[in-house]
Structure formats: C-alpha cells, structure tokens
C-alpha cells in the first residue's frame, strides 16, 4: 500500500488534546529558562503490529527544530516485540514535550486496531477479509481505524474515508435496511444491479426474510452470471452462521448450476470463528470482520526520558541511557 | 453537569464516515423514488451507561425534516439494560439512513467509556476519581473520551479539550518528565509552586528518583502547608503501588506532622485494584484511572427498522413493530 | 394412570436371560439338597424414580411358592433414595435365585428411564412433555421405555406399543419424511388434515424447506382454526431452536391473527434446554423429549442376601440382617 | 465370529414399536396414491463400532420388494466415523417408511453397546474381557446386548441367550449368593467342582467372607491343580479392588506354590480402571466388565431422505442427493 | 493443661543455633559501644494457634537484664490473627539480639504443629484425637511436637517424652510389628493383656493378617469385657479405612454382643478425612492423627525493631513505632 | 562434602522419643522370651533425596549386636524412588524394634529438607544457593536442617551449628536489625568492614531505609573495591524483589563503575521464583533460600517387617519376603 500524507489538526498542535500537566510543564520550564536536549523513547506493553508512526512523524516534522533533532523509528506495519523501543526522539525538550500524549495515543489506538486485524489475517490463511466495523467506533476515528485495519492486512474496508486514507476502493454489499425498505431481497438486488456501475460487485444479502438457502437460489436465478456473491449474516437469535449452513448453501447452489457465485460470511467474525469455519471445511470465499478489529483494546505505549543533556538518566524502574535497537531507522 | 452543545463535522454530514453500502442505498432509493416513513430502533448488546445520545441528537436535528419526524430517547448518562431500545427515530428513510453508522459508532464508543468509568466509580465508594487515560486513545477522540468519563461519574479529567466539553477545569499533577528534566523532585515541586496560580492544587509525584516514603517527607518539608497531595505511581518493575505502601507513607507523614497532605494513587487502576485498596484499608484520597476507561471495549449497538409506511416489519430474528419502552422520552 | 398387567416371557422364566452362574448355582444347590428360606434385598445405587416393580411382581407371582413367601416393595413411580431397600423377598432360595438378573435388569432400565423423565418434568414446571425417543432404543424395549417415561411424568408418548402399555393414546405430529415425499409443507399438512380423524390434533412441522416463521404463517393460513400447533425442530446445522426463534414465531403469528396456534419444540430437549427456554421467557406450549429419556443411563440395582434360615448374614461390605424400611408395603 | 440369523418380531413388523406419525404417514400416502422410489440414508452422530446392521438387514429382507430395491451398508462390527452414512436404502417409500424407528433403534442401542465394549478392549491390550452386565438391562434386550458386546470385542458373556446369539459358550464363576447360602467359600467351591462338567473352568470368588488373600490360599489348597482362577470383586465399601491387592494376592499365591491359578478382576471395570491396573503393573489375567458396556449411552442415528423419484432433495440443514461413501457394500 | 518448665539448651544460649550474622552484629555493636534500648515485635504471617511462647519466655528470662526489660505476650495456646503482634520485647539490644533466630524458630515450628492439631480438633467435633505422628519428625523435636499437638487440642500423644512435657500419660495400642513377630493378632492381644498393668486400655489392631471384621470378632471373643477398642488402620494398598467399613464392623460387633468395644481409626487422618467419616455417619470413637500434625508447615514468624532509644523507627515496608495490641499481657 | 560423625542422644537411646507401644512391645516380647531374627525394610512414600541415613547408622551401630546383624542401605544424598527400599535391617528384633520411630523420624525430616534444597539447586542451574531458613525451625533441629540443606546441594548455610555439622564456614550478610540500631546503611556497612576479618565477604543489605538502587550506589561508593555484594530483600509490602529491580540495580551499578559488586537476592525464594528470575534474564549472583527448605514437608517413611526367623511374612497390603534392590550396599 502507498502511505498517506497525514496532517496534524490544530487541536493537537495547540496542545488541547494533551494532558494539562504537560502544558504546565512546558510553561514552567520556559519561565525557568530550561530547555535541554533530551532523548525520549517510546515502547509498547505487548507485542503486535506498529501503526500510527506515519501520523506521529507528520506531527514531529511540524514541531521539532530542523537543525537540532534526531528521530529513529520502526516503519508502519512492522511487527514489534513487547517493550521494544519503536521510536526515539532527541531534541530540545520544550519543542516536543507537549505532544507525549498525542504520540502515545496515536500509536496505542492504531496499533491496537492493526494488531487485531493481523490476528484475523493469520487465522484466515489467505481468504480475503474486509473491515466492516466502523459502526463500533466514534466517527472521528473511522478513517484511522479502517486505515489501521488495512495496515494490519485487511483486503478492504467499508468506510469511504478509511478507504481514501488507505488508497483503495471502499467495499460494500447491500444492507438489511435497504431490503426491508424495498420489501423483498430479490427486488432490492435487482435495483442494486440496475443502478450501480459495472465495476461494483453484485453481492446480495440473503438472510433478511427467508431461509438463506432458498433466498440464495432466488437471487441467483434473478441475476444469473452477474451475481458475484451472497452474504450470510444470520443473527444470533437464529443460531448465527454455521459451517454446515455454508456447506449446504454451497451444495444447493452448485446443484442448481450457480458454481460461480461466491459465499461471503459476516457476523461476529473473530480469529476463533474464522478457524472454526476453516477447520470445519466450510467453503467460505470471504469474511467481513466487524467489532473484533474496531473494538480492539488499544496497546499501551509508554514514553520515557533516558538522556538529558547527553547524560544517561531514568526514573526508578527504568534503565538510564539509550536502549540499543538495531531495527530502528533514522527518519528525521 | 451541564450538557455541551455538539456540532456534527462535515465528514459525518457528507457521509464520508459511513459504510459505503448506506451511501449506495440512499442513491438507489432516490433513483427509485422510494422514501417511505420508516422507524428505526437502536439498542445495545449489553447493559451499561448510555452516552453519546446528545451528540446523536445534534446530528439528527441537522438532518431530519422538522415537520415529519418523531424521535424518542433515553437521556445522557442513564443506565440502560441489555437489548433495551434507547433511541427510536420515525422519519422519511432517505433523511437519516446514511447516518446509521455514525449513530451506532457514537453510542458504542461513548457508552463503552462511560460504562467503564461507572464501574470504577462504584468500586471507589465515594473516593474521587480522575480520568487520566487520554494517552490511550487517538487525539481525535480525546475530547469525547474524557467527556464520557465524566458522564460516567469521574470527578475530573486530565485533557484540556475533554474538560472544556464537560464544562470543568482540567486536573493534573507533575509528570515524571518534568522531574527528570529538572533533576530532582523537590526542585520540580518548588518550581511548580512558584509559577502556578494559587487555585491549582500542589500535587507532587514522589516515585521518580527515591524511595516514595523518603521523597514524600522531603517534598512535605519543602512546601509545608501548601502541599496538597503526593501521588504514588510506582511502576510494575518496582512492584506497583501496594496497599501497604499507602499505609506506610500515611503513617510516616502523620508521624512527621503532615496529616494535611493527601495521598493520590495511579498506575493500572481498575475496579478490582480499587477494591483491593479499599478492602485492605489503605487510606487513599483519590485515584487516577487511565486505560481501564480509555481502553474500554465499545458496547455494540444495533439499529433495526421495525416499521415501514406504518406497517410492522423486521428482518428474521427480530420482532416486527415498535418495541414499547416507557422509559423513553420524546426529544424531537 | 392405571397400572398394566405384565406377563413374563418364556425366555425369562426359563432363565435364558439370566447369568449362567445363577443357573449353575440352582443346579448345584438342588443336587446338594439345599433350599433354605433366604431373604434377598434389592437397592439402587442412586436416588430416582422406581419403575419396573410391577413387572417384577408379575414375575415373582409366577415363581414363588404361594404358601411360603413374603414380598415387600415400594410402589411403581415412587421416589427412592440412594441405597434404599425397594424390594425384599423372603422365600425358598431355589424358587427365585435364578431371577436375580431379571429383577435387577428390569428395575435398572425402567427406573433409569423414569428418572430421566422426571428430571424433565421438574424442569418444565407444568408445560406438557411427550416422549419422542423410541428411535433411540432397540424395538424390544420400546414398550417398556415409553411406559417408564409416562410413569416418570410424561404426558404422552409416540410409540403405539408404549401408549398401549401406559393406557393412553399415542401422540404424533408430521415427520420430515412425509413432507419431503410430498414436496411441500402446506401440501402435507392439508393431506394430514384431510385423512386424519377429527380427534387427532393438527400439528404441523415447519422447518423442512423454508424459514420457520414464514412456514408457520403459510400453514396457519392454509388450515386456519383447525391448526392446533406448529412444531419447531431446527437442526443443529442451522443453529437449533433458540428461545428467540420461539418468541419471534409467536409474535409473527399473533400479528397475523393466529393466537390460537400453539408452539411445540423438539430437538435435543433435556432439563437444561427446558430451563433455558423457560428462563429466556420463550412461550413454548409443549416439548418433545427424545434421547434424554430413551438414552438415559440405567440405574444400578444390587440384590443381596441378608438372612438365610432366619439368621442374619451378609458378604463383606454389607450389614447382616434385614434393613428396616417403613416405606415398604407387603405386596405378596 | 459367525453371524447369527435374526428374525423380526411381529410387533416390529406390524409397526407397533414405531412412532405413530410414521404409521399415519404411510396411511395418508396410501390414500393419496403416493409411493415414489425414495432413498433414505442413515448415519450416526458420533464415531464408534457399527452393530445391529445384521438385524436391520433381516427386517429389510422381509419388507422391501425384491424387484425394486437397492441396499448398501457397512458390515457388522466395522468402525464408523461421525456422520458417516452406514446404510442407504432405495425402494418405494411405502415399503419401508414405517420402519425408520426400528432401524434407528436397533443401530443406536447395539452400536452403543459394541462401542463401549471396544473401548474396554482397546484399554485391555490383549487381556481377555467377559461381558458381565446383563443385570443392567431389561431382559428383553439381554440377548442383543451381550451379542453386541461380543461384536465389540469381548471374549465371552455371562448370559445364556447372549452367548447363543453370539455362537459361543456362556462364561461364569460363582455368585456371592451361592457362597452365602452354603456358608463358606471353600465349601461352595468344592461343591461347584463336584457337580460341574470338567470343561467348565473352576473360578472361585474370594471376597465374600474373609480377606481376599487368605481366602485365595484356602480355595487353592482345597482344589489344587483343578483351580483355574480366583475372582476379586471387593465392594466399594471395602475400597474396591486395588492394583496393590492384585499384586499381593499374586505374590502370596506364588509363594505358596499356586502359580498356575489366574486372577480375574471385576467390579466397576471401565477403560480408565483397566488402564489403571495395567499402568500399575497389576498381574490381572482377565476382567469382567459390567455396566460400562450394558449401561452405555446409545449412539444417536438419524435417517434422512436424500432422493425422491431420482431427484436430489433434503430438508434444511442437509445436503440434497446421495452422499458418496466408497466403504459401503451392496447387500441387497 | 499444666504448663511445663522449659530449660534453654547450651547450644541455644551460646548462639550456636543462631544465624551467624546476628553473632557478628552483637560483636560489632559491642566493639562500637552501641547498646541502645530497643523494642522488637514478633508476628506470624498467618492466623493460627500460638505455641512455643513458654519456651521463648524461659529463654528470655535467662538473658534479659532483670532491671531493664519489658516483655509483653499472648499466652500459650491462644488463637492469633495474621500479622498480629504476639510478643514485644523492650531491653538493651545486645542482651537479646542474638536470639532472634531461636525466638522465631520456636514459635514457627510449635505454632505450626498446634495449629494443625486445632484444625483436626475442630473437624472432630468432640471425638477424641491422639497425636500419632512422631515418626514424621526428627527425634530432637519429638517432645515439643507432641507437646504442641496437646496445646492445639489433642487428647493424647504417643511419645513418652511428649507426654511427659504435656503432663499426661502416653497413649498406644499394639503395633503391626508385634503382631507379625508373634504371628497372630489374637495371640499378640492376649499377651498384651497378660503383661500390661490394668490401667492401660486394651486396644487391638485388627488389620494385620485377616479381614478387619473377622479379626475384630476374634479378639473380642478372646478378651471379652476386657477389650477396650479395636483399631482400624487398613493400608492404602487395601483401599484405606472407609466409613462403610466402620459401620460394618460396628454392626457385626453389635450383632455378636460386643457393644462395649470402641472403634478407633488411624491412617492418613486429616480434617477432610475426619469430616468424611462424620458426614457419612461412621460411628468412630477416636482418631489417631499422624503426619497431618507432625508434618505441618511451620508458620512464618517475623521479628522487627520498631523503636530504638525511645524513637519510632522501622525498615521500609513497616510502620515505625509500637503497634498497639490490647490482647497482650505483660509477662516480664 | 566430608560426612560428619553423629552421636545418638540419651533420649533416643533410652526410647523416650519412641512411640510408647514400641516400648511395651519390647517389654512383652522380653517377658515372653521371643526374640527372633527379623528383617525390617524402610521406604519413602515419594521420590527425593535420601538424608539422615548417616545418623541412623550411628544409632544402629550402638544397638545392634555386632555378631548377628546385617544392614543394607543407600548412601547419604542419593536420589531415591517412591517406595524404593532404602534401608534393610536383619537382626534380633528386640535389639532394634524400639527405634522404629527414630529411624523413620530422622529419615523423614532430613530427606524432606534435602529434597527441597535439591529442587532449588535444580532450578538455579549453577547459581550459588545459601540456606537462610533456620528461623523457620525449632533450635533443636537447626543443625540437622542446615546439614540436610547442604546434603541437598546448597553451597552454604547461615547457622553456626549447621555449618559445623556440614564441615563448612557459615555464611552471612548484615541483618536489618543492625542497620536500624546504627541508623544508616552506610554506617553499618563501614562498621562491618572495620571489625570483620578480611576473609569474611562484605555483603551489604540495601533495602532498609532508602531506594535499593540509590543505597547500592551509596555503599559502593563508601567501600569501593572491598564491597563484595549487595543483598536485595525488598519486603512484600513493597512488591518484593522483581527481576526488573535486579536488572536496574545492575545497570546503575555498571554505569557508576561498580561492575565487580555482585547481587544477592533473598525473600520468599523457591524454585518457581528462581526460575522466574532466570527466565527473565535477571543477573542474580546468588540466592538466599529460607523457609522453602526449612519449612519443607517431611517425606513419609514406613518401616515394615518382611521376614521373621527366615520366613517371608508381611501384613496385609504388603508383599511377604525381602524386596530386592541392587542399589543397596551392605553397611554393617
């Protein structure tokens, strides 16, 4: 994927999203005339996929003095070990101390999403995955969430803003709401086919009103060769999608001559559900992953000072001085 | 608390943060000339504290036709049961169908944070709690996260933007970074006291360089009556803050005549940790809660159509027609 | 219920179903001229419902000498405690020693079935239960199995021979096979209605080809007032019957004006499944219980000699002499 | 083993042991003039040993039209996988539809017993096993139960009727009852020796009145070379038979010169008990297995229609059409 | 019980049993001329029964200066809470610092034994208990172990030295060794009766060569009214003593007219075994407890200085100054 | 190590520490004139390290008749299997029957300690271990406990008497008490250095008053090259010693130029704690093990007669005759 260009918001640059004590610290140091060159190291509490570092770099590029800075980092999308230093900043402390909150926050949230996506990707062993979880997060982070899912390995995402950030086309099927408004699955699918440009794949949703197998056959008969896939999304009230249901729909579609129609599964998809479908031999052609990714727990990141004015120092519990990490590249 | 005035962003209003299939649905329905009055109901998957409904109402006020709408909802901060309908919208479907993603997303994320805050509040049985977790989330949601924490019962929060949204003053102590830059805890505390306006409480952080009990006595001797609290934040590498440490610091401070200085505890605070301190009899005067709130799992919300053109309808797995809930109030 | 008249088979009377060592024992004692009056006590290894004692009494009546016998027993269908003596026989040993195997076997198997039935009855708190499990046992015990289920509290059973033994009418709905042969659920239900006498309740099976809710409405529309119930039997491949499915079918039937039609649930019914439906508030009107009853583990029964020639005696591990039990009644 | 000739009973042939709804189905189809050639497939819910297929074939041979039938099956005693088709019948539906109950019931019950026997056989690694469990089942199934145990791998069985069906001699020792009636173990053993034909092995039971080791020596001294085995059957009230007891009896018998006398163990024998004896190195020469086999849970079997009039069909949850299974042999 | 008079050994008084660093400390302080009055407090890590304090007092009486000492303590046999101060010594440090090891060691070991005994006593609800565990400890602590068991509530003990210390008569039955040497249980019991003075109760051990019930009757017939008890001690190789065995022996003894003979149980006795016998209704008249008491884990005790020269002081992790405990009595 | 010379105490020789029933048995046998040559075998209930056999041999050498004895044994410190015979005595029974209690007790207690020590040694993979647990046992067994710890593999021990028995120098650091009495860690360490002979290693304890890392640097600066080690013993109230603390102290000491100073860790050391430090990569140079060894559960030993007058015999549950064990050596 091509990396996007991030632009820090004014709220971040002005420190409004920072902890108040950092703003006070900068204020006091300024009045005391203290602005030593200091080295801050950032590391995660657990292993995962690093994400957000591009956005952090965009922020640092705006605030660090060009002639007195040195920044080392791992690249976006790399795996990282627990407690591994992924970012090291050396610069006058007043230039960046205020942004400790934002740096930690960007990395925590984005790496949490990317790592969850990677777990699904590893379980799926090559079967395509689409991020479908934007309804699980606040709209203000929809873009970075879907972007992080793609960094973590998803093949697509459903939000317009996330797809734009990741440099891909957004993916979608037909929502239950449209079928309910139109009153019939076949009717809705035919309308979709009528108005959508040809490059949009025809993927029908087949569990709204009728038995999934019956409805699959109905939409396949209506669209014929044009039907790309059916999506199974049986709600938990009806026992969720089972591996046997996928097999049955596949068999009935094949018997009726619709071997070209793919089966796409959504609803509570998570690594163990993916593994269950795969180990049961269910012929799934794609998964839609929702809240497993979007509701993933952020990964804690910590930022610590390890050198001040060239001298090793650290708070109790940390080792003073720079922690060597040959995987880091100088980025600034 | 006084409820803030929310303003929907352009990205939300233009549907950029929506799932692409909703944008396509609105497009198709428009072309088909279909715009029935439809009723959508929204409910959470598990019990908790409702938060985000004010922001959702601000969005709906912008998009629903004033003369053909009916909105019922629970109020911000109310407890809600699993599967309880918390929001019911009746209006022409084209006017709001695009915003299903944003409605679910706002409620999911904010209610997740508020519910986690409430769990801490209940464990703390009256001891004050400050939300300290902004470094665990992306800066774009720092404001709503801290606002949600206050809706859930926190007494304060550390971010400037969150405090503004919640209509309170931000809370803070002294960061490790400032002490490390200044090289000594007492020096940093004295500088803080010198420059900060009198209404800012003097809360020193006492675990950076020396034994916590020893450092507490040093800062108390330096600031005397002006010292409001000491904050204990011992890292896990040093065994975290224990109940016995709190008791010992209290006893040594009392022996030395500093009974007025309060003890504030942070570091991995969660309901079971709070309960541990309380049940051990540790004399804690306040807790700083970080990632337990900011990293809380969002609560899944689901939005379903239950009536179209006045007729009960529903997808398989749901009960057609309006679900009565006498707790709802008409808000629009 | 009226107790049936049992008739011992020739195979039992001739000892063919006995352990060979008992036949040899009787042979040796006869040759030795030893035939003391002996007292045998029979007790179960665990608590439950006693069943089979009527059949045992019919056997004893055939073989014990009328002028030298004393038999005490609990009545059919009574609860029994673990290790409680439920049968005590005093008679010349040669007259009954051969039948120890049959006595234990009848009581073990029948009490196992009756006890499992009782567990379902207790879970169901008054909702009717039908024994549907004959396909889980060998045809030679179909009759006694269904009889035992009724002794344990079932309201009906599906086998003709079991119903005859229990003195009731057999119960049944429509099998999947008939619907498949006729090709459509409505067609099969209408044919059933056409040929069956009016006293047979019309209970249609609604999960064969279409969505259960859709099919329920179709058969209800076809039979109207004559439709007694619909039976839900969703297979595990489709997520089994859920409490939510029952509620949904009820709601859709009520909305459509078919409040008189009852809902009958089958498929893997066991006490914990019954409790799940009840605790979830699912409006079930009857359960069909299959292999939980018919495949129930027999209850071990043990028969021991405790007196020979009027003298207390017992093997190691048992207490010599008669074990008092005031609940026993003299039956012979 | 030589397979026996089974003869269906009248109750089975007349459908009295069937579910009433099958009888009604045949009645309705007859009146409607519907008798399509249909294919029914039968499969177990879990893996095991197939047993009862001979009895099922005897039934089908009686009822299927000779000129319009095709039956494929696995052979008696074969292992079967979960959900593997073990029987496939193609014939006019009216000729066999009534017997679905009996077919499932025979296979369920017999395969349950045979599978439990096989589990013991596998644990015993070549040490002989005798089925001793007839007192755990109703006398009407004593024959088929012991037959199934032999099909599953037991070397003998205790019932006369079961042994006849399996084509072997019944096995037995001396019951506690005979020893109690005669008052002394040695006296009973001597009487047994006096009257039994020479081909019956002399196996004494040594836990009735005295310490097992002491009693073993007493009967060995009384019978000398003629004593084949001693049976240990210590009741749970006395701590059951332990591996150490077997070793001790062996050692004391060897010390006294009775190395030829074998040790046979019974009482609660199940695979894990067998494994315990073997892993503890206890020199057991044979096991008597009781209720683990006779009280084994039947294996659920299901019979489904998969073709009607040559066309693939199936209920929801099943795959339409014939399921290929190269292990099946045509038997009719 | 009357408390014994303890006498400290030379090895203890000369510090040979102390940690070397305490000997060095006293040496250094002496050379430095430092001998402040210091207060040491001693507390256990978990709750239990205090034992050994008499022995500690005997040691302190020897070493503390009579005119400058103050000792407060709980009394022997009292319950103590976790972390409760049970001993407080105020005296010149050089006089007692060397004995910190011995003080902790005596209290740890003795309180461990007494606490385990108490647990058995509480389980036994009034049934007498004898400490039988001396073979589980080194002979050098046999006396204090049995003494501690009596302090914890045992009614007797088996060692001569322990009984002397506790001021009671030692208790004993007949060992297996004596029966094996004499070759027969009855012979050994008769010899015991012949030579032992009349005040020694006749308690026979009945599991050496024959069945316990049979042997009980044999010794009862031999000694008649003189037999006080039988002891059941069945080894684990024979399934240990079961509740049913006790009931059976009781029943057979009663049937034979030996109601006066008591039943004493030993072998692996621990609180849960005692509870098992009581809850099973086994008529046990006494228990012999072995390694549960003698092998009990010592209770950790810690000794800390809390005042030096009248000033509160303490190491990190402890509260400076004297810990109030109104349960303490001044003992010196 | 060189094995010490043990001397049995009078209390043991006179039988005061024996079970009273053994004293009575010897008395009765003497009066009956019974003194057969008997063989007693001793075995442990679980695997471990044999310890105490030297002390047992010293006892036997005193009491067995020189011309009529045969003793076979495993050597001190050898591993032993569960139930393996480790000692076999053949001699006139009256000469040694009284000492069964002492033999079992010595082996039980000493083998328990040695086995626990061995477990620590195996976990430590070559890092030195010192037994520091004497304060967990009664002073009367301090010597044999520390001796057993050394037999089990410890490199040193803290008690004077134990070291003498094991033929080594006792090991020690500086106690908290000395530091508290002197009021400062550096002051105490300097005094220690001033008075102790040069061969005593200077090991300072650094957690009494200040942060461990800070105090380590202070004592290192005070003693320079003479400082051998610092000991970390952080109490549980302060989170115990963590692997990270060891790493941090190491790093800070190295940074300050004190690479020669070793780090010694104590406080709750047990195999799993040792493994935790090793697996975490903490640079520990030595461990002090306390109550894991001294509070170890004794290993049950059993002594049984297996031959009397040359004839195999045994109580129920045991195999008569001598149990062959080629690992035994004749020692007497």
């Amino acid at each position: 994927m091509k990396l996007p260009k991030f632009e820090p918001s004014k709220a971040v640059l002005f420190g409004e999203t920072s902890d108040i004590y950092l703003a006070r610290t900068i204020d006091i140091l300024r009045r005391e005339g203290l602005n030593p060159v200091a080295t801050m190291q950032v590391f995660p509490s657990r292993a995962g996929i690093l994400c957000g570092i591009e956005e952090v770099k965009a922020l640092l590029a705006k605030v660090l003095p060009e002639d007195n800075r040195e920044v080392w980092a791992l690249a976006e999308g790399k795996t990282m070990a627990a407690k591994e230093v992924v970012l090291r900043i050396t610069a006058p402390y007043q230039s960046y101390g205020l942004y400790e909150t934002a740096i930690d926050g960007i990395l925590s949230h984005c790496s949490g999403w990317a790592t969850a996506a990677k777990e699904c990707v590893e379980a799926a062993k090559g079967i395509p995955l689409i991020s479908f979880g934007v309804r699980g997060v606040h709209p203000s982070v929809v873009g970075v969430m879907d972007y992080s899912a793609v960094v973590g390995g998803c093949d697509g995402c459903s939000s317009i803003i996330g797809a734009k950030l990741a440099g891909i086309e957004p993916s979608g099927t037909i929502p239950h709401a449209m079928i309910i408004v139109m009153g019939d699955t076949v009717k809705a699918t035919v309308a979709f086919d009528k108005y959508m440009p040809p490059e949009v794949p025809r993927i029908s949703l087949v569990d709204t009103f009728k038995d999934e197998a019956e409805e699959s056959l109905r939409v396949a008969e209506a669209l014929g060769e044009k039907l790309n896939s059916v999506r199974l999304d049986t709600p938990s009230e009806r026992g969720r999608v089972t591996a046997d249901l996928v097999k049955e729909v596949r068999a009935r579609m094949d018997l009726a001559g619709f071997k070209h129609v793919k089966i796409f599964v959504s609803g509570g998809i998570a690594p163990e559900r993916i593994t269950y479908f795969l180990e049961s031999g269910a012929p799934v052609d794609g998964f839609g992953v929702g809240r497993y990714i979007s509701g993933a727990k952020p990964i804690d990141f910590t930022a610590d000072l390890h050198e001040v004015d060239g001298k090793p120092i650290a708070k109790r519990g940390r080792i003073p001085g720079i922690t060597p990490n040959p995987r880091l590249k100088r980025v600034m």
Side-chain angles (χ1 to χ4, degrees), chain A:
Chain A
M1 66 185 288
K2 193 170 157 296
L3 292 174
K5 209 175 132 32
F6 286 94
E7 189 64 34
S9 74
K10 281 186 189 163
V12 169
L13 285 173
F14 291 176
E16 288 174 22
T17 67
S18 294
D19 288 287
I20 182 76
Y21 70 0
L22 292 172
R24 288 174 180 157
T25 291
I26 298 302
D27 184 27
I28 293 166
L29 293 178
R30 218 170 265 154
R31 298 203 204 185
E32 288 276 317
L34 269 174
N35 192 16
V37 168
T39 297
M40 188 163 83
Q41 299 191 147
V42 182
F43 64 88
S45 62
R46 54 181 167 98
I49 298 298
L50 176 67
C51 189
I53 196 77
E54 282 301 306
E55 191 173 355
V56 167
K57 281 155 59 182
L59 170 59
L60 292 175
K62 284 268 186 206
V63 301
L64 296 183
E66 273 183 54
D67 54 349
N68 191 4
R69 70 186 188 193
E70 190 174 326
V71 180
W72 295 71
L74 276 189
E76 192 87 326
K78 292 282 179 193
T79 58
M80 57 187 180
K83 302 220 167 176
E84 178 176 11
V85 173
V86 300
L87 172 65
R88 188 191 300 126
I89 304 165
T90 304
Y93 182 73
Q94 286 188 20
S95 67
Y96 68 86
L98 184 58
Y99 306 107
E100 186 182 323
T101 310
I103 292 168
D104 276 356
I106 293 166
L107 297 179
S108 289
H109 227 158
C110 295
S111 297
W113 289 315
T115 299
K118 183 62 130 203
E119 290 165 21
C120 295
V121 166
E122 284 174 356
K125 298 174 189 296
I127 295 176
L129 295 180
I130 309 299
S131 170
F132 265 14
V134 283
R135 67 185 53 212
V137 293
H138 194 276
S140 300
V141 286
V142 153
V144 286
M145 191 282 288
D146 260 354
Y147 163 76
S148 300
V150 174
V151 167
C154 281
D155 298 274
C157 66
S158 66
S159 74
I160 299 165
I161 197 170
K164 193 185 304 176
L165 211 49
I168 59 175
E169 286 301 309
S171 303
T173 64
I174 296 179
H176 287 112
M178 177 173 165
I179 295 171
I180 294 174
V181 167
M182 301 200 70
D184 179 67
T185 301
V186 170
K187 215 163 130 189
T189 308
V190 167
F192 186 92
D193 179 47
K194 180 171 160 195
Y195 296 115
M196 287 296 107
E199 67 273 16
V200 174
R202 274 61 183 156
I203 305 176
S204 188
L205 175 62
V206 293
D207 61 359
T208 309
F209 290 127
K210 287 173 171 289
D211 176 69
E212 296 88 342
E214 187 185 5
E215 198 77 291
S216 295
L217 291 168
R218 288 180 72 229
V219 296
E221 275 151 22
L223 256 68
E225 282 302 311
K226 287 190 291 181
L227 186 68
N228 176 284
S229 314
V230 291
R231 173 158 72 100
L232 303 175
D233 188 56
T234 316
S236 62
E237 290 88 345
R238 287 303 190 87
R240 301 206 296 176
V241 181
T242 64
D244 283 315
L245 174 61
V246 181
K247 291 181 193 176
E248 184 188 342
V249 170
R250 182 75 276 155
R252 291 187 188 266
M253 292 290 272
D254 289 356
L255 265 178
F258 300 117
K259 298 201 173 187
H260 72 284
V261 179
K262 289 185 282 188
I263 299 177
F264 195 87
V265 173
S266 60
I269 298 303
E272 62 275 23
R273 282 275 286 163
I274 294 175
T275 298
Y276 152 73
F277 282 109
L278 265 66
E279 292 191 344
S280 308
V284 176
D285 298 300
F287 289 104
V289 188
R291 278 136 174 156
Y292 185 79
I293 294 174
S294 69
K297 216 176 172 43
I299 292 178
D300 293 357
F301 275 79
T302 302
D304 277 325
L305 291 183
H306 280 254
E307 258 188 29
V308 173
D309 271 340
K311 269 180 255 144
I313 193 168
K315 68 172 195 171
R316 281 165 78 225
R318 300 289 192 280
I319 309 293
I322 283 173
T323 313
N325 183 3
R327 299 182 65 212
L328 296 180
K329 296 267 180 294
R330 178 151 186 192
V331 297
M332 224 172 277

